[in-house]
Amino acid sequence: MMDTSKIKEHMDVLDSAGKNIGKVDHLEGGDKIKLTKTDSPDGKHHVVPVSWVDHVDTHVHLNKPVGDISALQRAS
């Protein structure tokens, strides 16, 4: 299980190909990472499941190639 305490606000989130897909706004419900809307191309919040996190160092690294913001869940 991922140690979510390592995930901090404003960390860059990178997909498995190393593409920056946004910045952490905050953790939501302990199982989702909400991304900032200011870094989103559509100006909306998006969420990434914590289960997609491969590891955390100075960035949050995902284990999936997201490729496009539309692959992410839109937050309400």
Side-chain angles (χ1 to χ4, degrees), residues 50-64:
V50 170
S51 63
W52 289 11
V53 177
D54 180 66
H55 66 280
V56 178
D57 49 28
T58 57
H59 308 299
V60 177
H61 298 266
L62 304 182
N63 58 18
K64 295 186 181 287

Side-chain angles (χ1 to χ4, degrees), residues 16-46:
S16 63
K19 179 181 177 189
N20 187 325
I21 61 160
K23 291 187 183 286
V24 174
D25 189 68
H26 64 273
L27 283 172
E28 194 168 84
D31 63 344
K32 295 178 188 154
I33 301 168
K34 189 176 232 181
L35 302 179
T36 61
K37 63 182 177 182
T38 55
D39 292 316
S40 174
D42 64 3
K44 306 225 185 269
H45 282 290
H46 293 271

